[in-house]
Each structure stands twice: as structure tokens, then as C-alpha cells.
Amino acid sequence: MSNEPDLRAPGAVANADAGAEAALERAALDYHRFPKPGKISVQPTKDMSTQRDLALAYSPGVAAACMAIKHEPDEAYSLTSRGNLVAVITNGTAVLGLGNIGALAGKPVMEGKGCLFKKFAGIDVFDIEVDEADPEKFIETVARLEPTFGGINLEDIKAPECFVIETKLRERMKIPVFHDDQHGTAIVAAAAILNALQVVGKPIEGVRLVCSGAGAAAIACLNILVGLGLRKENIFVCDSRGVVSTDRMASLDEQKRAYARDTQARTLGDAVAGADIFLGVSQGGVLKPEMVATMADKPIILALANPDPEILPERARQVRPDCLIATGRSDYPNQVNNVLCFPFIFRGALDVGATEINEAMKLAAVRAIADLVQAEQSDVVAAAYGAHDLRFGPDYLIPRPFDPRLITTVAPAVAQAAIDSGVATRPFKDVASYRRSLERLVYTSGTVMQPVFAAASEAGGSRIAYAEGEEDRTLRAAQVVVDERLARPVLVGRPDIIADRIARLGLRIRVGETVDVVECAEAGTARAAQLLASGEVDGLLCGITGTYPEHLADVSRTIGLKAGAKGLAAMGLLQLPRHTLFICDPYIHRDPSAEEIAEMTVLAAEEMRRFGQLPRAALITASNFGSVDDPSSRKMRAALDLIRTRAPDLEIDGEMSADTALSRAVLGRLRPDSALTAEANLLIMPNLDAANITFNALKVVSGQGVSVGPILLGAAKPVHILTPSATVRGIVNMTALTAASVAARG
């Protein structure tokens, strides 16, 4: 993003912001409304296609499961979904920043929270909205749900009732009860503070902290920091009436009383002078630059109000360039985001049958999150986030929300703490094996595009040309690209046509302000390729009209091959309910040779790392490991030898059938010593027909699965050729991938 000041008139800025907000509201409503209402559904995990299946699933066979649980209640964890089922429960009294909007209006948020549990940790969720503001009645309602769930996530319940509700439910229930608004924020904020203190070289026992805000999240943050060694006498809290002092004891609730101080300070400005840490869990703009100027050397600032923090990072740094700062926003470094912890805390707690989430488990999560930032970056993580320097320091105090290592780091730490503290009813014996078992969730989480979007957004400003700049889908995609700050669109086409269609579609993009236009009277791929070859743009997308071979010819002729590549290849990505699959080559090589297969496999594995995916390749045929001796099988065996020579560290095996590749159990029976440590996620097909048919069939039958591509491999510069079936979201996805490729090349 540009660092130049915005010279537009304030009214123009306000109008633009209002337009963007209205467009976001429309898009959000469409997202929730189509193609069917809501964000969740329930799907059976067992086949029920025959009469016998039905007899086993329901009457009479289900009686066996019922009686087994009656005689041994713990069998519920092996015979039902209880051990992987969490309730996300609210009464709607404090929904986001919207306040007391009621249980029904809070349902979209609860559905969204359920999606995050599933996407990040594979945990199933029922969202439950209880129309009850009375704490005792709410407690009674929730407590009676215990037989259904393995854990309870309380959400969006106002303070101080939330403290009472959580405390009493924890006392009554023998499953984990966790109020994420309190503890999720506290855990991530504490990890950020621990690492910030390490950067500035200050011990936690000696620092002074000022907290703006005294609600549930603020109190939880302070409690966990005290547990980490921060002295209570060094904590000063400010609420809407000023400093929480002993002079106000009569009007304070129990939680605030614990942090009341005998002090002459009365305002936030009084309290923050000389402070080492500012913790903001209140409202935007309350921390003024002149207050920051009075803080101690190398001040640490957590401005967590959303969407407007207590102070913007740039304003804080104007007066104190030595400050370290974190916010709750994704467009600044050090985002304090609850998604860094709550899915993984519940994952660890559920997997060992924890009866509660205790302080030891919370502190284990804090330390695991903090330590992860200081760990050596894997090549997968580095590739996923582009060319950005992710070394521990002032701008990298806590992990990125989509760091694939979170689940294999935080969940085991929490599970081990549950075991060590005696609250685990199903302890594991081998933490290493447990950690390996979690790796499957990293690569089937449905978040495959997130590292790509993060890299594109953070790079900002990449100029991406669209050869079909007049098309409605292109223009709609350009609007999303601008809104999400993924790139600067360059539309190739006739300026008057583009302007008319922007107006007709009601888009907010403006030629010369947020997008550029390069005039071209005819089909634009050749012209767009020239722009890329000459360096006038950084990347190129084409192909939503015309044929793939036509566009491929223009790209091959004008852009050429990257160093060392002998040809171009294509790859498709499918995010299916149980698998993330990359498939080669569905568009270019009709009958590739062993040499061409070897090259495309190595190129595909390299590209997969940009998605945060560890490639596990399978060479697919109709046979398994020499069971048939035909030309296709022999070709794949020859390719395997070439690949192992060129990329000895790549997990790959073959030749094998598709069902063998996608089932580690089947593969283990046929080839116990296979190099694949889990099911394959990169399928290399023997010819174009097999690849194209497989990719397109799975894309359609997967229903709501994400498809990305075609992804062009081997080109000298970032360019991708789409297909006429590309959707607006597909164009946006490929824009992000192209921009991320630009960033990775520096």
C-alpha cells in the first residue's frame, strides 16, 4: 500500500468510505443468503444407502449402542460424535460491537464461530441461541445440555454476568466450559506481551501496565498476566469513569475491586505516564499521542479495540518510534486474533477428554503461541507467506492466524497440560504420535487460500493485468481485488466500454484512481502479455473468453519459460470436504512423456508450498506398483525414478490407483514402506483426458468445494490462463495467487 498522504477532500473520503461500507453490507447479506440461507449444515458420517445401513444406524441396531453407553457412559465418546462436538452458546447480550441485540440476531455470529472451529481444528459445532437474559435461568438451561456435548464455548455474553455464568457452569459441568471473549483474547494478548517484553529486554515482574477497559476481556487479560508473573500492584485499570481506585470501592463489582489501587491518578493520561505497557480493550481513539509520549522507554502498546484501535500504529510511532504495537486488525502486523487459540485449545482438551480448561492449560497455550514465533520458520510457512521476513521481532510478536503449525503446537501443549494437571480422562502416551495425527487437519482445513491472500494483501500494489478487461466478471472481480487490497487491476480493453460497464454494474472502482485501463481494440491476451514482458505490469490473467490453446500460444510466444524449465504445464486445485487436492495436468499435455511428467511434478510441488501445503505426490494409473505392465504404468515408473533423482526430499510414490493414493490405510496394506506419510494431495495423471475428467468431475460433485486454477507452471513471469467457466471468486483467487507470486519473486 502507498505511504503517500490521501489528498482527497474529507467529504470525498467520507463518501468513499460510506460507499465501501454499503457495498460490504450488500456483499455480506448476499454471502449469508445465497446459494442457500446460512453458513452451516449437518452431514452424516456413515453410509445409509441400504436397508441394512438404516437398521444399524437407527432401529433396531442403534439399541446396542444405547445399552453400551448405559452400562459404560464413556462409550459415548467412541459410539457417538460427543467427543468432537462443541456447543457455541450465547444469549445475545453483547454481540461483537453491536451490544445487546438479542439471541436471534446473534445467530449469524454463532454460525460463523462454528465454521472457524471446523475449518481450523476439525471440530463439529451446534450453535445454540438461548433467549434468556437472567443468569441463573441461562445457567440452568446450558447445564442440562451436558450429555450432548464434549465442550461448551460461551460467546457474546455481557459483563459482569459472564463471569458468574462461566464460574457456575464450570462448577456444575464435567466438560470444558470456556468463555472465549474473555480467555481467547487474554491468551493471545499475553503471548504478544511476553514476546514484546523479550524484545525490549524487560522482565515481567518489574513492568508497570495500564489497562483501558474493565470488561470481561480486560479482566481476563490481567488475570492471566498475573499468572505469568506481572505484579498486581503494578497494574492500573481505567474504565469509563477514570482510574479504578480505592476511592471508588463501593461502586465496583468484584472483578474491578481486585484491581483497585490507592493512587492519586484519576485519568488515563495520569495513569499512563511512565507505564511500560498499555493494554487497550475499550474504544477507538482513547489513547492520545501526547499520552504515548509520556510512557517509559520502549513502550509496548496493545490497542485491541475494533475496528478502530485505541491509537493507530502510525500515530503512536510518530511520537514514539521505539514503541512496539499490536492491534486487533488484519491490516497491521501483530494482529491479536482469538482464532490463534480457541480452536486448538478445544482440540487438545477434547482429544484427552479434559473435564475443564484450567489455568495450566491456558498458560500452556500462551507459551506455545509465544514460542511458535521464535521457532525456525519451515519452508512451507515461508513460501505460504511470500517473500516477507517472518523473523521474531517488533513486527512479528505473534503468529499469523493461518500459520499451519498452530494446531500441531498449541493443541499438544494444551493436551499435555491437561494430563499433567490431572483433568484428562483419556490421556495419550506419546505426544509425538498425537502431534503427527493432527497434521491431517492442517491440509484439509478449507483454509487453503488464506496464506495466499495474506501474502498478496501484505505485498500490496502489484499491477495485475486482465486481458478481458471489458467482461462483467472481470470488472466485478476487480472491485473485490481493490476492496481486499490484493493488487492494482490493469484492465485491457476499450476505455469507453469499460467505463460504461462499470457504471451499469454500479461498481465503485474508478479509472485512474483504483484501477488503470490500457486501450486495446481486439482480444487482449497478446497486448496484456506484451505489458508483462516489458515490465509495465507485474502479472497477468487471461482466458475467460476464447480457447485455452489460443491464450497458451500468446503466453508461450511472448512470456516464455522460467530458467531451467523445458515446457509449460497446468495444475488445478480442489478443496474437497475431506481432501485438498492438486491435479496435473488437466489442460496442456495430451500424452506427456516420463520426462515431462517429472518436470511438471517438481514444478507443481514447488507451487504447492505457496499455499502452505506440504506436497505428497502420487503418480496415478489404473494399476498398483507393477500389477499391470502397460505403457502408462511403465511411463509412470520411469517418471518416478527421474523425480527421485531431481527432488530426493519430495514425498512421492507410484504408480498407483486413485483410491490407493487417497487412502493411507489402503496404501499401507499394499505398500507398508511407502514414502507417503499420509494420503496424497498431489495427483499426477498419465494423460490430459484423465486429469481433465477427474478435475472437472470432482469440481462439480464436490458441491461447495473451492476450486482454484488452472495454475500455469513453468512460465518466466507470473501469468495464469483461466477458462470460460471461471467465476468472479475464481478470478479473485487467481489474482491473489498471481500477486503472491509477484511478492515471492521480490
Side-chain angles (χ1 to χ4, degrees), residues 309-597:
E310 285 79 2
I311 189 169
L312 290 168
E314 54 267 30
R315 296 198 71 195
R317 290 195 177 102
Q318 283 176 352
V319 295
R320 292 301 298 270
D322 61 337
C323 74
L324 279 67
I325 187 163
T327 72
R329 288 173 46 157
S330 61
D331 53 346
Y332 290 103
N334 301 323
Q335 183 192 14
V336 175
N337 189 327
N338 290 18
V339 81
L340 288 171
C341 72
F342 73 80
F344 317 118
I345 288 174
F346 271 95
R347 181 74 277 159
L350 291 173
D351 288 343
V352 295
T355 56
E356 63 175 320
I357 295 173
N358 58 25
E359 291 307 307
M361 296 160 73
K362 295 174 196 172
L363 294 177
V366 172
R367 295 188 175 99
I369 293 169
D371 291 347
L372 182 57
V373 177
Q374 301 182 44
E376 180 180 353
Q377 289 289 341
S378 70
D379 57 345
V380 174
V381 175
Y385 284 98
H388 303 290
D389 190 351
L390 292 180
R391 288 181 297 181
F392 174 57
D395 287 335
Y396 187 45
L397 297 173
I398 46 178
R400 307 296 176 90
F402 298 100
D403 192 320
R405 301 169 300 168
L406 280 163
I407 192 166
T408 56
T409 302
V410 180
V414 170
Q416 188 66 62
I419 295 170
D420 294 342
S421 61
V423 298
T425 61
R426 299 188 303 277
F428 52 67
K429 295 180 180 179
D430 181 2
V431 69
S433 296
Y434 173 60
R435 185 176 288 111
R436 285 194 298 272
S437 74
L438 295 171
E439 291 178 357
R440 62 184 171 82
L441 296 171
V442 175
Y443 304 112
T444 59
S445 66
T447 59
V448 66
M449 284 300 297
Q450 295 302 333
V452 175
F453 273 80
S457 180
E458 290 179 19
S462 298
R463 292 169 56 82
I464 306 300
Y466 300 83
E468 295 90 0
E470 299 175 1
E471 293 294 313
D472 286 4
R473 282 173 292 164
T474 300
L475 296 172
R476 291 186 186 279
Q479 182 67 71
V480 178
V481 167
V482 169
D483 288 344
E484 298 190 13
R485 302 178 182 178
L486 299 176
R488 171 91 174 195
V490 178
L491 306 170
V492 178
R494 293 165 291 182
D496 56 336
I497 299 297
I498 290 173
D500 287 346
R501 290 182 178 173
I502 289 173
R504 174 173 58 80
L505 295 171
L507 302 177
R508 292 168 285 105
I509 51 175
R510 295 292 178 265
V511 174
E513 295 182 17
T514 55
V515 302
D516 298 310
V517 172
V518 172
E519 185 168 4
C520 183
E522 299 178 357
T525 300
R527 180 71 180 102
Q530 291 169 358
L531 295 173
L532 180 57
S534 65
E536 295 175 74
V537 298
D538 304 305
L540 163 64
L541 293 178
C542 60
I544 66 171
T545 63
T547 68
Y548 198 96
E550 291 171 345
H551 296 288
L552 183 64
D554 285 333
V555 168
S556 299
R557 181 171 54 251
T558 308
I559 306 301
L561 302 174
K562 67 188 295 186
K566 297 179 181 178
L568 297 173
M571 175 172 69
L573 183 161
L574 289 169
Q575 176 63 68
L576 305 178
R578 292 182 57 246
H579 297 277
T580 297
L581 292 180
F582 294 78
I583 298 176
C584 283
D585 170 357
Y587 291 100
I588 295 177
H589 291 286
R590 169 102 7 221
D591 186 14
S593 66
E595 173 68 32
E596 288 170 329
I597 287 171

Side-chain angles (χ1 to χ4, degrees), residues 693-712:
I693 291 168
T694 301
F695 181 79
N696 285 301
L698 288 175
K699 180 172 69 173
V700 173
V701 301
S702 69
Q704 298 178 10
V706 174
S707 64
V708 180
I711 301 165
L712 193 63

Side-chain angles (χ1 to χ4, degrees), residues 96-178:
L96 302 179
L98 305 173
N100 187 355
I101 62 174
L104 181 60
K107 186 173 177 61
V109 181
M110 301 308 109
E111 286 189 358
K113 193 65 173 278
C115 292
L116 295 179
F117 268 107
K118 187 67 172 180
K119 291 293 185 182
F120 284 95
I123 294 172
D124 296 317
V125 164
F126 290 164
D127 66 286
I128 298 177
E129 294 74 36
V130 180
D131 190 12
E132 182 55 73
D134 181 88
E136 292 301 326
K137 293 179 180 178
F138 183 85
I139 290 166
E140 191 64 31
T141 300
V142 175
R144 292 180 183 275
L145 298 173
E146 182 169 350
T148 305
F149 298 102
I152 303 291
N153 184 96
L154 299 172
E155 195 80 15
D156 292 352
I157 301 169
K158 71 181 181 73
E161 289 92 332
C162 61
F163 299 113
V164 176
I165 288 170
E166 185 191 39
T167 299
K168 290 192 175 182
L169 285 174
R170 288 185 63 187
E171 291 171 354
R172 287 186 58 172
M173 303 180 81
K174 294 182 175 61
I175 58 175
V177 177
F178 186 80

